[in-house]
Amino acid sequence: MKKIVLLTLGLFLSNALFAQESQHVTPTLFTPKISYLDSLKATFSNHATSNCIDERWMKEIADASLSNEMFFDIENMNIDEKVAYNLDTEVLKKRLRKLDVQSPFVIEYNPALENVIKSFLKNRSKSFERQMAIAEYYFPLFEEKLSKYNLPLEIKYLAIVESALQPKAKSKVGAGGLWQFMPETGKQYKLKITTYVDERHDPIKSTEAACHYMMNMYEIFGDWSLVLASYNCGPGNVSKAIRRSGGKTDYWEIRKYLPRETANYLPAFLATMYIYEFKKEHGLVPHKAEMKYAETDTVMLKQAMTFKQLSDLLDISEAQLEYLNPIYKSKYIPSIEEETFYLRLPKNKIGIFVSNEEKIYGYLAYLEQEKIRNIQLALQAKKRDSIAKQDSLAVVANLTVKNNDTNEYEEVIKKRTKEVVSKNFHKVKKGETLSEIADKNNVSIVNLRKWNNIKGSNINAGQSLVIQTIKKVTVNEVVKKPKPKPKTEIVEPVVENAVAENTEKPTENKYSSAKSKIEIKEDYYIVQKGDSIFSITKKFPNLTTDDLKKKNDLKTDNIQPGMKLKIQG
């Protein structure tokens, strides 16, 4: 019989589970996050394995060492120092003439240029092979924008000199992005910079800004070499160099009057162009790009979301999202009224997002509900703990009052509410952002910056951040109130030579009535438990503490229960 019951129950449960799996899962506040997420993704349309960027190549294209090497070379290289490398000068001249014919740039042989080319081939050939893969990703975008504004396509090589094609590259003076705009120059060319967004890091918008800058500078100087020099050090410094040289406008003639970095800048650009154009002749084997910019697309977002949420939903790494969307500073895409924000994804991921948009936004709403519910549960738990603590204090206080019979005052519990500020510390993990830390600790980013004196969004792994919480707590204060006065106990006067029985059990109390007018020459009082000199004098009119001590030859206020004190006489 038991076997039949168990078998029937098992079949019932199996059918119930099968029915649940076959239906659309509706989230509730009590649905575990992981099960809801997995169930939701199982219903996604076009939920196929992605050909997203491989993790190894992802590390390669995000490696800041490439930009650091280029920054170092531009600042420190002595381009007038000869370099030992097997490259025939006549062969180099012939190749440079070929470049000059097909380019609007003046590309002529110069010993300093030869030194830079040899230095790059000797010391940075492997870096160039790596950069060529990243160039395969970005160059189609650059060429499209340069063609749009009728600018020389060779300017695309400038982004290699500026940032080594790292969209998140930052110089020590504060320039940022593929084209290394300073904040003020970026804003001048309509690149938005806010707490959450920095459009200097956006490949499309920053390339547009660079094109506009080049056009403006060409109208001033009319020479592409001087345009590039002004891009590095500003048109003012180039104009000063021209005046100091006596009005000469050839780059190589004014080079010594330019800042050191700019003096190395154009030779580095021309050397980079040469190496890319003649890579086969020098045996360079470019790495291959796993994805090109054209294989990505954008979708407009309707509400805020984090890279972590997108990573969970779309099975794409946060690192890849960050590379495709370098504009967002804190791995967080905001939602601000009357502003539009876009998410760039591989095209197949765009398909998944668009096909399942309502489900994705529903999941984000579910996460928000879970967050609110967890906050409520935490507050309820704190409230229960506070009540339990209050009850325990009240019990202790009651025991203290009952057991302390010798005190003249009772201890009573008085409750009041006050705000308590507590500080905790959060140790920053690798890859964490202010937005994620604020979200985890249920605080605002504004307060997080204020508590830790952070002006921007930069934080470092291992850094300890202060997290403040303000709680309203009920405080139990122990106060004292006067204890009711004990009834006055009048003991019959003891006559000298009286027997003990008459002393302990008086037959008549002559002071039991306040109206008694009987005058007795000698009167005594037996000290009771809890009595003091002060309390005894209060029982008898016109009796002071000094009188009582004098009548009984007391040097101190110390008295003991059972002592017989003279009251009158």
Side-chain angles (χ1 to χ4, degrees), residues 44-46 297-302 310 314 343 345-361:
F44 276 3
S45 303
N46 190 31
D297 204 349
T298 58
V299 60
M300 186 179 74
L301 299 184
K302 298 176 182 177
L310 287 165
L314 302 177
L343 170 69
L345 293 169
K347 284 187 176 179
N348 67 322
K349 294 297 183 182
I350 285 286
I352 295 174
F353 190 100
V354 173
S355 300
N356 303 280
E357 200 165 359
E358 294 305 316
K359 294 177 184 179
I360 288 172
Y361 289 126

Side-chain angles (χ1 to χ4, degrees), residues 170-402:
K170 289 183 180 179
S171 74
K172 64 182 182 181
V173 295
L178 289 167
W179 298 96
Q180 289 292 289
F181 278 99
M182 293 293 287
E184 289 306 314
T185 309
K187 291 176 182 178
Q188 180 183 346
Y189 283 87
K190 299 180 181 180
L191 296 177
K192 186 188 303 179
I193 303 173
T194 67
T195 300
Y196 297 114
V197 172
D198 190 340
E199 290 183 344
R200 293 180 299 162
H201 302 297
D202 182 270
I204 293 178
K205 292 183 178 181
S206 65
T207 303
E208 288 267 358
C211 289
H212 284 290
Y213 186 97
M214 300 291 179
M215 288 190 298
N216 291 341
M217 292 303 103
Y218 190 75
E219 288 180 4
I220 296 172
F221 296 107
D223 180 275
W224 287 114
S225 296
L226 298 182
V227 168
L228 296 193
S230 70
Y231 192 89
N232 180 256
C233 67
N237 284 324
V238 175
S239 297
K240 289 177 187 176
I242 292 173
R243 287 197 299 270
R244 288 169 182 165
S245 68
K248 296 176 182 178
T249 57
D250 181 85
Y251 174 84
W252 295 102
E253 291 184 290
I254 70 168
R255 186 171 71 88
K256 61 183 178 180
Y257 301 105
L258 292 169
R260 178 184 177 86
E261 180 181 333
T262 310
N264 294 346
Y265 189 73
L266 185 67
F269 167 77
L270 295 175
T272 300
M273 184 194 306
Y274 168 85
I275 290 171
Y276 268 74
E277 295 296 330
F278 293 98
K279 54 182 174 291
K280 290 182 181 179
E281 286 79 356
H282 290 285
L284 297 182
V285 181
H287 292 193
K288 294 298 295 179
E290 294 190 14
M291 180 185 295
K292 296 182 181 180
Y293 205 78
E295 295 171 0
T296 66
D297 204 349
T298 58
V299 60
M300 186 179 74
L301 299 184
K302 298 176 182 177
Q303 69 182 70
M305 58 187 70
T306 66
F307 285 5
K308 175 66 169 61
Q309 292 166 345
L310 287 165
S311 176
D312 291 340
L313 283 162
L314 302 177
D315 294 322
I316 180 172
S317 72
E318 289 185 60
Q320 193 169 152
L321 286 168
E322 190 172 12
Y323 186 78
L324 294 173
N325 301 272
I327 181 176
Y328 299 114
K329 296 164 71 173
S330 304
K331 296 185 181 181
Y332 171 75
I333 306 173
S335 178
I336 302 173
E337 192 174 350
E338 298 180 356
E339 290 192 38
T340 304
F341 296 95
Y342 292 89
L343 170 69
R344 181 168 293 277
L345 293 169
K347 284 187 176 179
N348 67 322
K349 294 297 183 182
I350 285 286
I352 295 174
F353 190 100
V354 173
S355 300
N356 303 280
E357 200 165 359
E358 294 305 316
K359 294 177 184 179
I360 288 172
Y361 289 126
Y363 174 70
L364 296 177
Y366 159 75
L367 290 181
E368 192 63 29
Q369 286 181 326
E370 279 288 278
K371 181 179 177 180
I372 294 171
R373 175 177 173 270
N374 290 335
I375 293 173
Q376 291 173 340
L377 291 174
L379 291 174
Q380 290 171 4
K382 289 178 181 178
K383 186 176 181 181
R384 287 195 299 270
D385 292 342
S386 178
I387 292 172
K389 189 174 182 180
Q390 293 169 20
D391 292 342
S392 64
L393 286 172
V395 170
V396 172
N398 288 335
L399 289 173
T400 303
V401 171
K402 290 178 181 179

Side-chain angles (χ1 to χ4, degrees), residues 127 245 281 439 467 497 527 560:
S127 296
S245 68
E281 286 79 356
D439 190 55
I467 307 292
N497 300 323
V527 177
Q560 301 295 329

Side-chain angles (χ1 to χ4, degrees), residues 446-456 463 465-466:
V446 173
N447 284 336
L448 194 56
R449 285 198 181 93
K450 179 180 176 182
W451 298 330
N452 295 278
N453 195 24
I454 298 173
K455 294 183 179 178
Q463 180 179 352
L465 299 182
V466 174

Side-chain angles (χ1 to χ4, degrees), residues 537-545 547-548 551 567-568:
T537 59
K538 291 299 181 183
K539 297 175 184 179
F540 298 95
N542 303 321
L543 180 64
T544 66
T545 56
D547 289 342
L548 185 59
K551 290 177 186 294
I567 303 301
Q568 294 184 5

